[in-house]
Amino acid sequence: MRAEPVRAEPTVAEPVRAELAVIGAGPAGLAATLAAGARGVRVTLLDSAVQAGGQFYRRPDPALGARRPQALHHQWRTWERLRDGLAAQVGTGRAQHLTEHQVWFVERKSTGFTVHALHEENPVVVHADAVLLATGGYEKVLPFPGWTLPGVLTAGGAQAMLKGGLAVAGRTAVVAGTGPLLLPVATGLAAAGVEVAALVEAADPKTLVRHARALAVKLPEGARYAARLLRHRVEFLGRHAVVEAHGGERLTAVTVAALDAGGRVRTGTERRIPCDTLAVGHGMLPHTDLAETLGCRLDGLNVSVDEEQRTSVPGVWAAGESTGIGGAALSLAEGHIAGRSIAARLAGREPDPRAWAAAAKSRTGLRQFAAVLDTVYAPPAHWSDRVTDDTVVCRCEEVTGGAIREAVAELGAGDLRTVKLLTRAGMGWCQGRMCGPAVAGLAGCELTPSSGPFARPVPLGVLARAADHRGVAPTADHRGEAPTADHRGEAPTYDHGDEAPADGRRAEAPADDHRTERGPS
């Protein structure tokens, strides 16, 4: 009989103590860390990635020897300021940056907050007086026949491979779906030597024209992307959609078709395009798992915050895509405001909004801009008509479109929870993040946040240790004001100072935990 390998017991690290725990090292988390740390707050920044920056500032591993990583980015100077600011704070002991730490639960106690994380399956505990949730978002993909074939991946996944690994999935690609993310993905792949056969956008270009005034600030950037598409001879198909992916062991072609004004396929316009890669996406959704387990109020699918970026739970702030998909510049502004608010309240002072007036003005304009983008790039109506009964919708549990329709029509399911109970759709590894929008669309019910007890799967041994944990958190007053402390520090400029950097888009893809850049209009 062969002996089973003995698995080493996880190492339990000593609890970390901080005044502020920032969860997420994307633009919002970095901006908050710099703003709070510059005012004397001891910050612990936790992130699941190897390097700070999130998807928007994702960079290749240094071992790959990329000579010009900035070629895959815009606003590189803003990243350099963030990077150097974080390095300075870590170097002086004002901040601690914990990389490759997966936060799975945040516990609220009378004495503060306990952040539970995993580092290489080893439990890590951080005690803090305040928490900032900068957990980002994830990509939405609507199903169609053949979308589970090897060679079909999310647009953000394709971008993450290119930015982080300098790798591409194939030689000939189609980029499809809807949203400004498609532009940087298509141009990035083309610049990397991939033949991009077509950029298939479901939105009507005329809608962009109708909102030209509101989108004017991004027209120069959009024009640069358009010029790159022309230079690489990428065909643009507006008001079109991929209706089917073809292949045996892997993708070999896609069928695209034109859409009418109502979002239905125009019969007779179908066209087959050979390709070995399809990068597809239909926008973003906010990550709210940790906020929900803490009891933070939601505004629809977004974490609800006030003018200081405070949630409904005293001691908890939120910034970035979790409060509404809006891009890197909006995340920077919100993170900066949150960091300054936290610093003041931890010092026992009432914050002065005039201190972040420039960031607040930027936040207002960028939120309005994001609202226009949501209107322009809404997923096409009647997309569910193209989902056949044998199309797999929930990939984790292999639940088909027919099973979901049967649960509604014959078994009376009228909400996501009932569909889940009857079909198991959403019970798998992703807990409905990937399939939730599709299930809701097919069932004709409202999309609600996928809530669970933890933000990610956790080994039972780690749960047992957490239950036995008797660590003492620092004192905190959760009636709205944090404990008084003497915080000294010079205010940074909002660039990381008083001017908001240019816009960009960032989120997290559901299937492979890649964060994605939502590009310009």
Side-chain angles (χ1 to χ4, degrees):
M1 180 183 295
R2 187 176 62 181
E4 291 295 325
V6 177
R7 185 172 181 178
E9 283 294 314
T11 302
V12 182
E14 287 295 317
V16 176
R17 284 177 168 77
E19 292 173 293
L20 170 64
V22 176
I23 302 172
L30 287 172
T33 298
L34 297 189
R39 289 158 182 81
V41 178
R42 289 182 292 108
V43 182
T44 295
L45 173 64
L46 302 98
D47 191 66
S48 61
V50 178
Q51 304 179 82
Q55 169 64 6
F56 190 76
Y57 297 117
R58 183 187 291 269
R59 296 158 329 283
D61 188 287
L64 294 175
R67 292 189 297 272
R68 296 182 63 249
Q70 64 270 29
L72 297 172
H73 296 268
H74 61 284
Q75 296 305 313
W76 185 257
R77 290 183 180 177
T78 300
W79 157 247
E80 290 179 323
R81 288 193 288 270
L82 293 167
R83 177 198 64 197
D84 295 346
L86 178 63
Q89 290 197 1
V90 171
T92 57
R94 285 181 292 172
Q96 181 179 23
H97 181 203
L98 302 181
T99 61
E100 298 183 274
H101 279 65
Q102 302 271 355
V103 176
W104 56 271
F105 188 63
V106 179
E107 186 178 5
R108 185 187 181 198
K109 298 183 176 181
S110 60
T111 53
F113 295 90
T114 299
V115 178
H116 297 273
L118 289 176
H119 176 58
E120 297 178 350
E121 301 304 316
N122 297 316
V124 175
V125 171
V126 177
H127 297 305
D129 297 324
V131 172
L132 171 72
L133 303 175
T135 49
Y138 59 96
E139 200 167 1
K140 176 170 65 175
V141 180
L142 301 176
F144 49 87
W147 77 304
T148 57
L149 281 170
V152 180
L153 68 165
T154 67
Q159 185 186 63
M161 288 176 61
L162 185 59
K163 281 187 172 184
L166 302 179
V168 294
R171 296 183 177 182
T172 305
V174 170
V175 179
T178 189
L181 169 63
L182 302 186
L183 282 170
V185 171
T187 55
L189 290 174
V194 176
E195 179 188 350
V196 180
L199 171 55
V200 184
E201 169 60 66
D204 185 352
K206 293 180 181 177
T207 307
L208 293 172
V209 175
R210 287 197 295 270
H211 293 278
R213 186 173 181 179
L215 301 175
V217 67
K218 300 302 293 181
L219 288 180
E221 193 172 340
R224 288 194 293 272
Y225 279 117
R228 293 174 192 170
L229 292 175
L230 287 173
R231 185 165 65 250
H232 291 287
R233 298 181 180 179
V234 177
E235 183 179 11
F236 177 76
L237 299 175
R239 198 190 276 182
H240 277 67
V242 171
V243 296
E244 187 172 359
H246 309 281
E249 294 184 356
R250 64 166 292 115
L251 180 73
T252 57
V254 298
T255 294
V256 303
L259 305 176
D260 63 19
R264 296 181 176 87
V265 171
R266 291 169 51 194
T267 304
T269 63
E270 294 84 356
R271 170 185 164 194
R272 193 178 179 110
I273 301 177
C275 61
D276 57 17
T277 301
L278 171 62
V280 61
H282 297 91
M284 315 287 176
L285 293 170
H287 258 307
T288 60
D289 308 63
L290 294 174
E292 288 182 81
T293 58
L294 278 165
C296 300
R297 185 172 62 249
L298 300 185
D299 180 9
L301 298 175
N302 307 324
V303 180
S304 178
V305 293
D306 65 7
E307 290 303 304
E308 295 181 35
Q309 300 296 137
R310 292 182 299 176
T311 71
S312 60
V313 176
V316 180
W317 281 252
E321 310 286 41
S322 63
T323 67
I325 303 301
L330 178 56
S331 295
L332 289 170
E334 291 184 352
H336 180 80
I337 293 169
R340 296 185 72 133
S341 168
I342 292 166
R345 293 197 175 275
L346 284 175
R349 301 191 307 270
E350 186 72 21
D352 182 1
R354 292 175 298 182
W356 60 72
K361 181 179 179 180
S362 176
R363 178 180 62 184
T364 299
L366 290 168
R367 283 179 176 174
Q368 293 171 348
F369 179 78
V372 174
L373 287 184
D374 286 342
T375 300
V376 171
Y377 291 112
H382 302 288
W383 63 265
S384 60
D385 295 348
R386 302 189 288 278
V387 178
T388 61
D389 283 349
D390 59 356
T391 299
V392 172
V393 174
C394 173
R395 302 175 70 164
C396 297
E397 296 294 325
E398 298 185 348
V399 180
T400 63
I404 294 169
R405 290 183 174 116
E406 180 183 2
V408 175
E410 299 184 20
L411 302 178
D415 57 71
L416 277 180
R417 177 176 173 78
T418 306
V419 174
K420 180 178 181 178
L421 292 172
L422 292 173
T423 67
R424 295 190 59 81
M427 287 190 180
W429 184 266
C430 79
Q431 286 294 289
R433 291 187 189 91
M434 190 74 169
C435 66
V439 174
L442 286 172
C445 61
E446 181 182 2
L447 175 62
T448 54
S450 56
S451 59
F454 309 122
R456 58 148 290 167
V458 186
L460 287 175
V462 173
L463 287 178
R465 286 180 177 83
D468 291 338
H469 184 67
R470 293 295 182 268
V472 180
T475 302
D477 179 358
H478 292 295
R479 291 171 295 181
E481 295 291 336
T484 301
D486 182 14
H487 295 295
R488 298 181 177 89
E490 294 301 318
T493 56
Y494 172 62
D495 61 8
H496 265 38
D498 298 318
E499 296 299 327
D503 189 27
R505 304 282 151 183
R506 190 232 340 129
E508 187 171 291
D512 49 18
D513 198 29
H514 290 310
R515 293 178 182 175
T516 67
E517 172 186 335
R518 185 179 177 188
S521 60

